[in-house]
Amino acid sequence: WQHAHERWDSVPISGARLMCEIKDAAPANALFFNEAITNATHLDRAFEPSEPEQMLRVRGGGIGGGLPGAIGAQIARPDRKVVGICSDGASMYSITALWTAAHHRVPLTWVILNNASYRILKLNMIEYLGQAVARDRQFVAMDLTDPDLRFDHMAKAMGVPSWRVEKPQELGPALREAFACGPALVDVAMEAPLPLS
């Protein structure tokens, strides 16, 4: 919690605060499907799963399994609310899962970590090249902008109620509304810091 409060009111929203807000707003028996990628550390710090099946993850090194994986988890466990925590870039690999959830009325909620970039690729480049070299380079084709990806609009177009959150104080109310229905999606505009000091 202390780590989260260091940047509690930051805009764009910090990953640490978002995960704390998800934990506070989610039903007590929620099951989480994790494709948080570069925000997985914040997720693990906030939740610290203590029982089996509390946190499911994408496996195998690929990306894009978060949206459909959360659907599968909700179908397998109709007795629990499933919350899919999915990064923006990975979600684009399987965006049609939104329509599937709407069509079959699968009552899960997704939270999209929208940092407008393939941040994992940028971090890999920094690790490979070193901070000094990476600081003077452009990250070609690693930003998800021009146009910006608006998952709230995509969700609505496919029949999924959605909320766009850009201010930290809007997180709690939007998450609670989304968790109360389903399928639903919350598109969160997030920070994407890089270690280039």
Side-chain angles (χ1 to χ4, degrees):
W1 288 96
Q2 181 180 353
H3 174 73
H5 284 285
E6 290 172 8
R7 298 183 39 74
W8 193 252
D9 294 319
S10 296
V11 176
I13 295 165
S14 74
R17 176 164 183 175
L18 174 57
M19 299 313 168
C20 289
E21 294 274 7
I22 292 171
K23 181 179 181 181
D24 285 348
N29 73 335
L31 185 156
F32 299 92
F33 198 97
N34 172 1
E35 192 175 31
I37 314 257
T38 60
N39 282 284
T41 301
H42 298 303
L43 181 61
D44 290 339
R45 282 184 186 166
F47 285 87
E48 298 177 346
S50 58
E51 62 185 63
E53 296 185 9
Q54 194 173 8
M55 182 78 66
L56 303 176
R57 299 177 188 273
V58 175
R59 298 194 52 160
I63 62 174
L67 296 182
I71 292 174
Q74 187 65 78
I75 291 169
R77 294 304 307 264
D79 57 317
R80 298 176 73 171
K81 178 67 173 187
V82 171
V83 179
I85 302 172
C86 306
S87 64
D88 53 354
S91 293
M92 288 302 291
Y93 282 74
S94 54
I95 199 68
T96 55
L98 300 178
W99 181 87
T100 300
H103 181 72
H104 294 286
R105 294 170 181 78
V106 182
L108 78 153
T109 298
W110 289 289
V111 179
I112 303 295
L113 312 179
N114 193 341
N115 61 22
S117 71
Y118 280 107
R119 184 170 175 242
I120 189 65
L121 298 180
K122 293 179 180 182
L123 292 174
N124 289 344
M125 290 294 291
I126 292 167
E127 184 176 329
Y128 177 73
L129 297 172
Q131 286 186 7
V133 174
R135 184 176 28 251
D136 298 326
R137 294 179 61 100
Q138 289 185 333
F139 294 103
V140 177
M142 295 182 199
D143 290 311
L144 298 172
T145 57
D146 192 23
D148 294 336
L149 293 178
R150 290 290 304 261
F151 288 87
D152 57 326
H153 294 172
M154 288 185 260
K156 284 177 185 168
M158 291 191 228
V160 175
S162 61
W163 292 257
R164 170 78 173 181
V165 178
E166 297 178 351
K167 297 176 184 173
Q169 64 270 22
E170 297 170 351
L171 278 170
L175 290 167
R176 284 179 183 82
E177 282 187 63
F179 293 156
C181 63
L185 180 143
V186 181
D187 182 11
V188 182
M190 294 184 60
E191 65 179 1
L194 297 174
L196 290 173
S197 55

